[in-house]
Amino acid sequence: MNLTSTREGIGIALDALRSNKVRAFLTTLGIVIGVATVMTMAAAITGFRAMVMENIEAIGPNNFIASRFDGTEIRFSDNHGKDPWEGKPALTFADAEMLEALPAVRTVATSIDVGGEVRAGSRAVGSVQIMGRSADWVEYSRGDFLQGNNYLGVHDQRASNVAVLSPDLAQQLFPSGGAVGRSVRIKGREFLVAGVYKLKDNIFASAMKNWVVVPSTTAIKDLDANYDWMDFLVVTERGFTQERAMDDVTAALRSARGLRPAEENNFALIKQEAFKSMFDRLTGVFFIVMVVLSSIGLIVGGVGVVGIMMISVTERTREIGVRKALGAKSNEILWQFLVESVTVTVIGGAIGLAVATALAGLITATTPVNATIPLWAIFASIMASGGAGIVFGLYPANKAARLDPVEALRHE
Amino acid sequence: MSSALIEVRGLQKQYVMGAETVRALRGVDLVIERNEYVAIMGPSGSGKSTFMNLIGCLDTPSAGEYVLNGQPVAGMKDDDLARIRNREIGFVFQTFNLLPRSTALENVELPLVYAGVGKAERKERAAGALGAVELADRLDHRPNELSGGQRQRVAIARALVTRPSIILADEPTGNLDSRTSEEIMALFHRLHAEGQTIIMVTHEPDIAAHADRVVMLKDGIIASDRRQTRVPVGVLAARPESALSEV
């Protein structure tokens, strides 16, 4: 089909839209809402994902976690009734010492968490994340001491009652300041506050406000932390790749546990990648839901397009007759009305996109999420609305193309 | 086979309306030569509209032969008929049938669009055709900015622009006052003098009087077919209004 009739079709469609603004608005409303909703969600998810990825990267791209089993795998079944950690021994302090001796490994911080109440005098804060960490946890973490210092390796060895508080917790327990050197009671035990540590701003930091770090040995001895669930936070030595460090850790743990070559690892090494892919799987589900929602939106909008195009064909029956008398073939009439319906839906899609851009701007302005509409989504939404125009324009356009010229010319 | 422009033999058209079959045309034979100026007349129900639709290739006959400019069109498919209409026939309608949102120039360009003529040539030819009907200064006017006579002249320019074998006019003055009707008839005379074949369907004897030949249809057959000396242009227009109103 030639370019002229396409341009003419678009021109006719724009004229038709102009001459009946309310109807055009109602026609495109479904498409506008559908596209705007989906694009806003896509922008928000993309922004959120970028933020999560940035935060994961910030932890240190070369760091990884050694764990009894891989908790990042999302399981929808219960793995044949077996617990995922069955047949897998717990990680021990001896393992940590052995791994830290590897040249490719800089630090192995032991990590074991519990929850509980923290008190200072009459003030109490419940549900505090109590993080048992060996003193070298600061090497794995990103942040700064606002007051005081970290505890030392010697406190690990002695299982001393020393603690580092989060700024929020310190603020709540000691509103007048000066937490360092004071004592707090964690799950009823008395601890000396060594410092206040602020994590570098990230979503994990803002999600978890009240936490306290204590030596992992102390957490096990005094705070009922279960030795069986200890993880290692592994920092790769400078000049070594993460891959090398992970290979060495794997080899060392396998040999220590006497695994034969055919046997699978009975421990798990988890990279930042694993968190990323876990997040991607979650957002993937979200995207599927979004595609379904947008399809429903387009179908609802498309039904409107069918109705309005039918009215347009009926109103212009005589014009169709004239065009046929002047030599328009059926296909040329079909093309004209298809171009018209695609123009209507693509304009609807573009308006939807504009609305979504405004909403994304609002999200960016009011939340920490930097919501930007991804380029592929712009492309996809225009394609989808154009596709809806073709699909839903086909029936009315075909009706127009099949009109009998004599009847059409007689139409009042 | 002669070199006649239109050759119709035993043309029949039947419509089925419910249980009843209406025989609109019951066997029409007609030969029209190049550069003839023919008026087709007949009371309503005589089959003249059906005949015009068949001559204009808007419809196909139930039986009979129709050869237009050497091409047998009776059994053609819709798209082939569309091509024939585009090339061979220039329609002029009673109600002008211009596209309301398009300018005069765009309206005249339309058949050339369907003929696949390029944009530059299209504009030039459309402007030329509008010049030929003395509307060179109205190219960018829309139909609602033109008088009835001007609209019909745009429609005639649209009919002429493809250089068709025949101009087929259906009650071309039916929506015009007498003075404007005379203008249009004068234009038809000029086109005819330039070699154009014109077939005009009308029920007004005054208008038919302009043609060289009058074919009268009645009950689906040709009742009479006579040549006449046409009325000079201006005679009707010169008549007093009171006389016209009696017609």
Side-chain angles (χ1 to χ4, degrees), chain A residues 53-376:
Chain A
M53 292 305 154
E54 198 181 299
N55 282 303
I56 289 173
E57 289 296 332
I59 291 169
N62 283 335
N63 296 350
F64 59 94
I65 293 169
S67 187
R68 190 171 168 182
F69 70 98
D70 190 349
T72 67
E73 278 179 21
I74 299 170
R75 273 166 232 276
F76 294 106
S77 73
D78 62 357
N79 205 17
H80 311 295
K82 281 203 301 183
D83 286 322
W85 53 85
E86 207 176 293
K88 293 172 181 173
L91 294 166
T92 64
F93 286 109
D95 289 334
E97 239 169 85
M98 172 198 68
L99 295 177
E100 204 159 33
L102 294 169
V105 173
R106 182 181 171 86
T107 319
V108 176
T110 54
S111 161
I112 184 156
D113 290 7
V114 289
E117 191 194 55
V118 180
R119 302 182 73 97
S122 60
R123 294 194 170 80
V125 177
S127 304
V128 176
Q129 175 101 356
I130 302 163
M131 307 194 286
R133 299 279 189 276
S134 54
D136 41 17
W137 66 274
V138 284
E139 297 215 36
Y140 191 88
S141 194
R142 295 289 163 100
D144 293 299
F145 280 93
L146 298 181
Q147 301 163 34
N149 290 298
N150 192 18
Y151 48 83
L152 305 171
V154 67
H155 295 121
D156 286 332
Q157 286 156 25
R158 292 182 192 158
S160 308
N161 289 10
V162 286
V164 171
L165 304 183
S166 72
D168 283 297
L169 186 60
Q171 175 63 32
Q172 286 173 72
L173 295 175
F174 305 104
S176 49
V180 176
R182 309 276 284 274
S183 77
V184 291
R185 296 190 82 83
I186 303 175
K187 294 180 88 170
R189 300 273 182 162
E190 191 164 346
F191 280 71
L192 182 72
V193 178
V196 176
Y197 185 83
K198 187 179 188 302
L199 280 168
K200 207 176 139 192
D201 268 335
N202 69 41
I203 47 162
F204 304 128
S206 53
M208 198 177 65
K209 295 196 178 304
N210 295 329
W211 46 266
V212 54
V213 188
V214 299
S216 26
T217 44
T218 317
I220 291 162
K221 185 166 90 55
D222 288 343
L223 301 175
D224 308 324
N226 192 338
Y227 191 30
D228 290 346
W229 303 115
M230 192 158 73
D231 292 332
F232 297 160
L233 310 177
V234 185
V235 180
T236 304
E237 183 60 270
R238 284 200 189 89
F240 288 88
T241 62
Q242 183 191 41
E243 212 177 7
R244 167 74 194 281
M246 289 177 80
D247 284 350
D248 289 358
V249 166
T250 304
L253 277 174
R254 285 183 68 92
S255 112
R257 290 172 173 200
L259 293 178
R260 278 188 288 275
E263 286 180 288
E264 277 184 32
N265 290 343
N266 53 6
F267 54 89
L269 300 186
I270 302 153
K271 298 190 282 187
Q272 308 303 339
E273 300 297 321
F275 291 107
K276 283 188 198 170
S277 62
M278 175 175 74
F279 189 77
D280 280 344
R281 266 173 284 161
L282 283 172
T283 51
V285 173
F286 214 80
F287 267 103
I288 291 169
V289 172
M290 225 166 67
V291 166
V292 171
L293 284 179
S294 65
S295 306
I296 293 169
L298 284 178
I299 289 169
V300 172
V303 171
V305 170
V306 174
I308 238 69
M309 288 301 293
M310 291 304 279
I311 294 172
S312 177
V313 168
T314 308
E315 271 183 356
R316 279 150 61 198
T317 299
R318 203 185 176 90
E319 177 196 318
I320 294 162
V322 173
R323 286 174 179 273
K324 287 202 157 190
L326 297 181
K329 297 191 174 88
S330 298
N331 275 344
E332 288 167 319
I333 301 291
L334 183 85
W335 182 248
Q336 180 193 327
F337 281 92
L338 272 189
V339 166
E340 186 172 324
S341 78
V342 169
T343 304
V344 170
T345 54
V346 167
I347 286 173
I351 295 171
L353 212 51
V355 172
T357 308
L359 289 176
L362 195 69
I363 291 171
T364 306
T366 56
T367 70
V369 177
N370 181 20
T372 41
I373 298 174
L375 209 61
W376 65 263

